[in-house]
Amino acid sequence: MNNSKYRGVVVPMVTPVTQDGQLDVKAVERIIDFFAENKVSPLLMGTTGEGNSVSQADGQLFVEKAVKAANGRILIYAGLTGNCFSEQVRQAEIYSALGADVIVATLPTYYALTPDQMYEYYKTLADCITGPLMLYNILATTHMSIPVDVIRRLADHPNIVGLKDSERDLERMAQCIEITKSHPEFAYFCGWAAQSAHALELGGNGIVPSTGNFVPEMFQQLFDAAVAGNMATANRLQDETNEIAKIYQKDRTLGQSLTALKVMMSTKGLCEPWMLMPLTRLSADEEQTIIDKVNALD
């Protein structure tokens, strides 16, 4: 692990909403408190947080309430999505002014982009915004992969502080972590939760596990063990969290898994399993099955 100040467990936080699709502010406060107590930070409006479905107004309210609830205890990572560049810059500046510590941006997704266009997009965004920028590579939703050589070039930019990579490619992971060794301020965050321990063993700076919404303490323990070189404990926790993840992920689409995750969180009184369109709740029978599996964990 290099000297980057960005490290640790960053949970891609769900976006809690009410039945009518309004941001559930009280639930935001509860979840942020839950994270702070377990020493993990949130990534707001990432993929797990239905980022592309959150309105600009609610995005601003979300950041404002999360920053206030965190009260300086943990860093706030704010996700940036969309296809209109000027609106992205405006939102990023608002999020930073509201107190977000890092802006985390996926690629615009309407057009297939060339590597040069990807580079120019991130370089220009980093030039235009005040807060530090983290790249977010997620092939599953953007249907594009930021090439490793583009990431290497972008790592030279003084306002680009890291990469969150959710691509399921072990060779690519090793290559991206290698970049951090020659760029001491550039952080690598693994968004492939099932390989969290492996990424940390290779020298990654942090992990971004969606299952951390439910068991943040287990991922913090995993991180601490891996950093201490206790890979036996880290790998045991990896196996245990992988099993918990199956409760909401197995045999479901990505969208279905997100509402299933909210069902799990509802058993801890954190939020209700309402979703933003176009995603919807599961059936009552499916929700009960998930609740039964969670209760069986005790």
Side-chain angles (χ1 to χ4, degrees), residues 8-106:
V9 182
V10 177
V11 176
M13 179 176 161
V14 303
T15 297
V17 294
T18 58
Q19 185 173 359
D20 60 358
Q22 301 299 306
L23 185 71
D24 188 338
V25 172
K26 292 297 183 184
V28 170
E29 294 169 351
R30 287 194 297 271
I31 297 169
I32 293 294
D33 272 337
F34 181 51
F35 285 2
E37 288 167 3
N38 288 287
K39 300 179 175 61
V40 305
S41 290
L43 165 60
L44 311 180
M45 297 173 288
T47 303
T48 304
E50 304 168 75
N52 276 286
S53 302
V54 179
S55 70
Q56 290 189 5
D58 273 351
Q60 294 171 28
L61 181 62
F62 196 177
V63 172
E64 178 186 354
K65 296 301 181 181
V67 168
K68 184 177 180 181
N71 194 27
R73 293 176 290 172
I74 49 178
L75 296 182
I76 302 294
Y77 294 72
L80 194 67
T81 59
N83 292 310
C84 177
F85 186 77
S86 62
E87 289 181 359
Q88 287 184 307
V89 171
R90 177 178 174 274
Q91 286 295 99
E93 291 295 78
I94 291 172
Y95 294 164
S96 294
L98 289 170
D101 297 286
V102 189
I103 301 299
V104 186
T106 58

Side-chain angles (χ1 to χ4, degrees), residues 194-221:
Q195 293 294 333
S196 295
H198 179 62
L200 294 169
E201 186 175 22
L202 290 179
N205 300 80
I207 53 178
V208 190
S210 59
T211 311
N213 280 281
F214 183 68
V215 283
E217 71 284 357
M218 293 182 72
F219 286 99
Q220 185 58 46
Q221 292 164 12

Side-chain angles (χ1 to χ4, degrees), residues 16 26 46 140 154 156 234 283 291:
K26 292 297 183 184
L154 289 167
D156 289 327
S283 70
I291 292 169

Side-chain angles (χ1 to χ4, degrees), residues 164-168 188-194 196 206-210:
K164 184 223 166 179
D165 201 334
S166 297
E167 195 159 334
R168 283 150 171 71
Y188 174 87
F189 279 79
C190 177
W192 183 5
S196 295
I207 53 178
V208 190
S210 59

Side-chain angles (χ1 to χ4, degrees), residues 77-185:
Y77 294 72
L80 194 67
T81 59
N83 292 310
C84 177
F85 186 77
S86 62
E87 289 181 359
Q88 287 184 307
V89 171
R90 177 178 174 274
Q91 286 295 99
E93 291 295 78
I94 291 172
Y95 294 164
S96 294
L98 289 170
D101 297 286
V102 189
I103 301 299
V104 186
T106 58
L107 287 168
T109 59
Y110 190 80
Y111 300 106
L113 303 177
T114 66
D116 283 345
Q117 288 171 330
M118 295 179 193
Y119 173 81
E120 288 299 328
Y121 166 72
Y122 278 119
K123 178 186 179 298
T124 308
L125 182 60
D127 288 342
C128 288
I129 67 175
T130 306
L133 175 66
M134 186 170 286
L135 317 176
Y136 182 177
N137 182 66
I138 178 162
L139 175 64
T141 58
T142 66
H143 310 293
M144 290 180 281
S145 176
I146 308 169
V148 174
D149 63 327
V150 170
I151 294 166
R152 188 177 294 108
R153 291 171 63 199
L154 289 167
D156 289 327
H157 195 291
N159 202 34
I160 295 178
V161 298
L163 164 72
K164 184 223 166 179
D165 201 334
S166 297
E167 195 159 334
R168 283 150 171 71
D169 183 329
L170 290 174
E171 182 179 355
R172 173 190 172 86
M173 176 191 293
Q175 291 172 344
C176 289
I177 292 174
E178 196 64 29
I179 294 172
T180 69
K181 296 175 182 177
S182 59
H183 294 76
E185 304 301 323

